[in-house]
Amino acid sequence: MKVQLVFSEEVKQAKENGKPIIALESTIITHGMPYPQNIETAFEVEEIIREEGAVPATIAILDGKIHIGLSKDEIKQLADSKDVIKASRRDLPYILAQKKNGATTVAGTMICAQLAGIPLFVTGGIGGVHRGAEETMDISADLEELSQTNVAVVCAGAKSILDLGLTMEYLETKGVPVVGYQTDVLPAFYTRTSPYEVNNRLDDPKEIAKLIRTKWDLGLKGGIVIANPIPEEDALDEKFMNQIIEQALAEAEANQIKGKEVTPFLLSKVKDLTEGKSLEANIALVKNNARLGGKIAVAMRNLS
Ligand code: PSU
Ligand code: MN
């Protein structure tokens, strides 16, 4: 039995015509944002990518089949349905073999994007090493995926619900370059800065495209993280967010939240505690990443 990929008409044509394609994840739709903002954002992000001259491929598993590119109806179905499994690397065999529905995380999306021959992926934030990982060993499978799957990921850094210092150390050990777009420091999702330096700063999408190409030309396997700070006007106050995050972490602990539930629990707590401000910021940064991703995708295609 071979794994079958189901391409949307738009993505199929883009492949035939050599147009640049950008992968998008679906966990952000099902577990990362509430309804109806999740659907609206998914549509808007796709539209931004088209405006930049690339083609969006939102990835999910429907009835056990990997879909590369979803119709509007399929995105709506996914967002509405209750029985969609958050799909990281270890979840894929079960979901496919049992013909279930799955929303792919960063790791899950990277795997499917590589199968589909799509080298670039846009999202909000990657998973990372959780605070207290010395004891819990809670380290997102996204990091391991970045070390072995050849897909570059545009994000707004990672949330400070994570231990950003340990996340950077892990990525260094695994040989994953973290490139700052017009920034010297790792952005922390809601805020433009963090105390941690990125490995390299590049200010031009073309230069980022060259770095991505060079890594793979060298035969080095694995991804590249492109960290794009949230626009100034959408950023939230650092002190305020740190307090909120402390509170969300305390509630996760009090409720004994474990395993794959941790990240969705923290995301939804942060949203409630900020009275929706975090959601607005989240939407703004994903759109900002889509713009940059579109430019990088076009630049990658134009490299000779
Ligand atoms: N961070 C966000 N929003 C998200 C996620 C992370 O700001 O929606 C999702 C992504 O799909 C990411 C996943 O791959 O959570 C990481 O989950 P875990 O920590 O369980 O690996
Ligand atoms: Mn985890």
Side-chain angles (χ1 to χ4, degrees), residues 272-292:
D272 291 347
L273 292 170
T274 60
E275 289 159 351
K277 279 207 196 91
S278 68
L279 180 58
E280 277 172 43
N282 199 342
I283 294 169
L285 67 83
V286 181
K287 290 194 204 164
N288 189 47
N289 293 344
R291 280 230 181 276
L292 175 60

Side-chain angles (χ1 to χ4, degrees), residues 202-224:
L202 291 174
D203 291 347
D204 179 347
K206 266 190 233 132
E207 300 304 318
I208 296 176
K210 278 196 237 163
L211 183 143
I212 295 170
R213 166 69 75 84
T214 304
K215 172 164 177 165
W216 296 329
D217 280 352
L218 281 165
L220 299 176
K221 74 180 165 82
I224 294 98

Side-chain angles (χ1 to χ4, degrees), residues 25-33 86-88 90-91 103-109 121 123-130 138-143 157-159 161-162 189-190 258-264 267 282 285-286:
E25 64 159 306
S26 43
T27 297
I28 192 172
I29 302 174
T30 56
H31 294 70
M33 283 187 194
K86 177 177 161 186
S88 189
R90 61 109 194 255
D91 309 295
T104 49
T105 63
V106 169
T109 306
F121 166 20
T123 189
I126 55 169
V129 180
H130 281 258
D138 190 351
I139 300 173
S140 173
D142 292 353
L143 298 186
K159 284 204 177 72
I161 56 173
L162 302 168
F189 202 83
Y190 301 117
K258 295 260 154 41
K260 71 197 287 190
E261 314 304 334
V262 172
T263 299
L267 295 180
N282 199 342
L285 67 83
V286 181

Side-chain angles (χ1 to χ4, degrees), residues 22-211:
I22 296 183
L24 296 165
E25 64 159 306
S26 43
T27 297
I28 192 172
I29 302 174
T30 56
H31 294 70
M33 283 187 194
Y35 176 88
Q37 289 91 342
N38 54 354
I39 299 185
E40 288 159 15
T41 308
F43 292 165
E44 283 170 4
V45 164
E46 290 203 341
E47 210 38 54
I48 290 170
I49 287 173
R50 291 187 190 102
E51 281 167 23
E52 293 294 333
V55 169
T58 301
I59 292 178
I61 303 153
L62 302 176
D63 297 324
K65 292 208 177 79
I66 297 174
H67 283 246
I68 309 292
L70 298 180
S71 68
K72 283 204 153 90
D73 276 345
E74 286 166 336
I75 288 180
K76 277 191 201 144
Q77 259 177 39
L78 201 69
D80 279 345
S81 114
K82 293 271 170 289
D83 63 341
V84 182
I85 303 171
K86 177 177 161 186
S88 189
R89 169 175 277 262
R90 61 109 194 255
D91 309 295
L92 293 175
Y94 172 78
I95 299 171
L96 265 70
Q98 292 297 314
K99 303 204 183 333
K100 305 263 183 198
N101 295 323
T104 49
T105 63
V106 169
T109 306
M110 287 177 73
I111 293 168
C112 300
Q114 176 158 279
L115 286 171
I118 303 173
L120 188 67
F121 166 20
V122 164
T123 189
I126 55 169
V129 180
H130 281 258
R131 297 197 201 176
E134 315 79 275
E135 276 189 19
T136 61
M137 302 234 335
D138 190 351
I139 300 173
S140 173
D142 292 353
L143 298 186
E144 196 55 39
E145 208 57 55
L146 281 160
S147 78
Q148 55 177 311
T149 299
N150 300 354
V151 174
V153 181
V154 180
C155 63
K159 284 204 177 72
S160 47
I161 56 173
L162 302 168
D163 188 320
L164 297 184
L166 292 186
T167 300
M168 288 298 286
E169 291 294 343
Y170 196 103
L171 290 169
E172 177 182 359
T173 302
K174 297 292 182 172
V176 179
V178 179
V179 177
Y181 176 63
Q182 300 185 344
T183 181
D184 295 308
V185 295
L186 181 71
F189 202 83
Y190 301 117
T191 57
R192 291 176 57 82
T193 61
S194 76
Y196 307 97
E197 285 179 13
V198 291
N199 310 143
N200 317 103
R201 171 186 175 139
L202 291 174
D203 291 347
D204 179 347
K206 266 190 233 132
E207 300 304 318
I208 296 176
K210 278 196 237 163
L211 183 143

